[in-house]
Amino acid sequence: MNIVYLVVPCYNEQEVIDETSRRLVAKLTTLIQADRISADSRIIFVDDGSRDLTWRKITELCIAEPLVTGLRLSRNRGHQNALLAGLFTASESADAVISLDADLQDDIDAIDGFLEKYEEGYDIVYGVRSSRRKDSWFKRNTAQLFYKVMHILGAEVEYNHADYRLMSRRAVEALKEFGEVNLFLRGIVPLIGFPSARVLYERGERFAGESKYPLRKMISFALEGILSFSIKPIKMIMSLGLLVSAISIAMLLYFLIGYFVGHTVPGWTSTIVSIWAIGGLQLLSVGVIGEYIGKIYLETKHRPKFIIDEFIRHETASKDR
Ligand code: UDP
Ligand code: MG
């Protein structure tokens, strides 16, 4: 029977962790009792350097609940890195791992579908949202824009799929081969290339606490996705440069002809406007190149993506903590 691990990254999730654990334990227990998965299956809560009581609560859960384990990172490294730490740790014991958010916005009953596909032989099963009705207008449209841009730039990402997915052990092993520091898992997983399937589900709202992805983080996450999977923006600068040069030559010709025909060039408006336009364009272009150089700089350092502080299981968690 397959050992399945659920990996749940948690950052300041004290309001939801108890309820989440209760629901996940119930789900896992049902699956174990129905002989769908092995009794050695576990839940790993990854504490991504929370500043609230999250880790304390995770430790208590580990003591009370045999199915719960806890992994603590040495500091906050962000959702993607926390997820990776959990996946790597889980793959040491599990045949398949399922990643999901701590707020249980993703319908956990989709797990049955995931397992079915896994048993059919798929190594990667993507949870895909059937609709975005429950999102705010803003989130829905910015998300749409993101997928369009990614598509135009040629990066393969699964449409309407967040990080709710099942991966077989060999898929996680393959993931380890990707050494990059600028981590955008949704872009990397399709590159693994093993057989993959989709399961549709309805995404609900966070049942307590607030989003750990404010607009600022969302934008930088989207940029991370775009910049680490496509070099088209840097190529576009070249085309833009050519275009602007062509326009300026055309303008030059136009003004020269005007000069000979006898029209005097009026005022300084056009001059000033073009100086600003070119200046802006140059700054923008340098900025794009800078973003890439920044990424290269980070990659060349080969810093660890996360450092594990502790890994506790029910068997080892002692009450005198
Ligand atoms: N998260 C994390 N580290 C961070 C930020 C978020 O591990 O630095 C986790 C968070 O605890 C949650 C998941 O990432 O389990 C998704 O966050 P959230 O639900 O707040 O994002 P949203 O659903 O609003 O996009
Ligand atoms: Mg959420």
Side-chain angles (χ1 to χ4, degrees):
M1 197 110 38
N2 293 314
I3 301 177
V4 176
Y5 270 52
L6 304 181
V7 173
V8 189
C10 309
Y11 178 59
N12 294 346
E13 298 285 11
Q14 61 180 12
E15 294 92 355
V16 304
I17 190 90
D18 290 323
E19 176 63 16
T20 298
S21 168
R22 198 185 60 73
R23 292 193 203 172
L24 290 180
V25 166
K27 181 77 202 169
L28 221 53
T29 310
T30 317
L31 289 170
I32 291 171
Q33 280 168 357
D35 274 343
R36 288 293 305 275
I37 59 175
S38 153
D40 293 328
S41 300
R42 293 284 180 277
I43 301 161
I44 298 191
F45 287 112
V46 185
D47 176 27
D48 184 18
S50 300
R51 291 171 203 283
D52 62 359
L53 295 176
T54 303
W55 182 247
R56 163 100 63 93
K57 291 197 174 225
I58 292 174
T59 345
E60 284 164 10
L61 288 167
C62 287
I63 293 166
E65 195 38 78
L67 292 179
V68 174
T69 69
L71 185 71
R72 184 192 205 182
L73 302 193
S74 59
R75 54 160 296 165
N76 181 245
R77 295 301 326 242
H79 177 213
Q80 300 286 293
N81 288 310
L83 199 59
L84 204 66
L87 292 180
F88 288 177
T89 307
S91 73
E92 284 164 21
S93 337
D95 298 307
V97 285
I98 297 174
S99 49
L100 66 168
D101 289 352
D103 53 8
L104 295 193
Q105 282 184 282
D106 308 303
D107 175 17
I108 57 172
D109 289 325
I111 291 177
D112 300 64
F114 283 18
L115 292 173
E116 235 161 71
K117 293 285 179 198
Y118 172 66
E119 285 152 13
E120 282 171 27
Y122 292 99
D123 284 279
I124 300 165
V125 187
Y126 300 103
V128 174
R129 299 174 63 170
S130 51
S131 77
R132 282 188 171 265
R133 259 181 298 131
K134 288 189 177 144
D135 278 4
S136 66
W137 181 90
F138 181 75
K139 188 138 187 176
R140 195 164 53 231
N141 285 281
T142 46
Q144 220 80 324
L145 181 71
F146 170 74
Y147 288 108
K148 282 215 181 94
V149 172
M150 284 299 268
H151 185 73
I152 292 168
L153 296 179
E156 272 178 61
V157 279
E158 195 57 46
Y159 188 67
N160 271 351
H161 157 70
D163 284 300
Y164 187 28
R165 76 175 85 81
L166 176 145
M167 292 176 82
S168 67
R169 178 190 289 168
R170 74 171 186 146
V172 179
E173 291 298 328
L175 184 63
K176 287 185 189 161
E177 302 293 319
F178 289 78
E180 54 211 89
V181 173
N182 299 298
L183 200 60
F184 187 71
L185 283 173
R186 274 181 247 177
I188 299 176
V189 173
L191 295 180
I192 295 175
F194 290 142
S196 64
R198 274 152 213 85
V199 169
L200 286 180
Y201 72 96
E202 188 79 42
R203 186 169 156 111
E205 276 156 43
R206 181 178 259 279
F207 66 81
E210 52 194 42
S211 174
K212 308 297 179 289
Y213 263 104
L215 185 61
R216 184 178 52 78
K217 269 197 197 173
M218 230 165 73
I219 292 174
S220 81
F221 186 52
L223 271 182
E224 180 86 51
I226 291 167
L227 295 180
S228 40
F229 278 89
S230 173
I231 53 165
K232 276 200 186 158
I234 219 167
K235 287 189 177 157
M236 281 185 323
I237 291 175
M238 184 79 178
S239 325
L240 207 63
L242 285 175
L243 183 73
V244 171
S245 316
I247 291 175
S248 61
I249 290 171
M251 270 165 71
L252 191 72
L253 286 176
Y254 177 75
F255 287 131
L256 265 181
I257 294 168
Y259 178 76
F260 287 121
V261 173
H263 295 299
T264 39
V265 181
W268 47 271
T269 327
S270 53
T271 324
I272 294 294
V273 168
S274 45
I275 288 174
W276 278 85
I278 301 288
L281 212 63
Q282 278 177 338
L283 278 182
L284 188 79
S285 308
V286 171
V288 173
I289 294 173
E291 285 286 333
Y292 280 101
I293 294 180
K295 293 215 175 288
I296 296 169
Y297 177 60
L298 289 177
E299 293 290 353
T300 52
K301 289 200 234 244
H302 295 298
R303 285 193 177 155
K305 290 186 270 290
F306 53 81
I307 292 169
I308 291 171
D309 182 2
E310 259 187 284
F311 181 44
I312 52 170
R313 296 172 157 269
H314 178 69
E315 301 80 27
T316 52
S318 64
K319 290 189 169 37
D320 51 48
R321 275 169 179 281

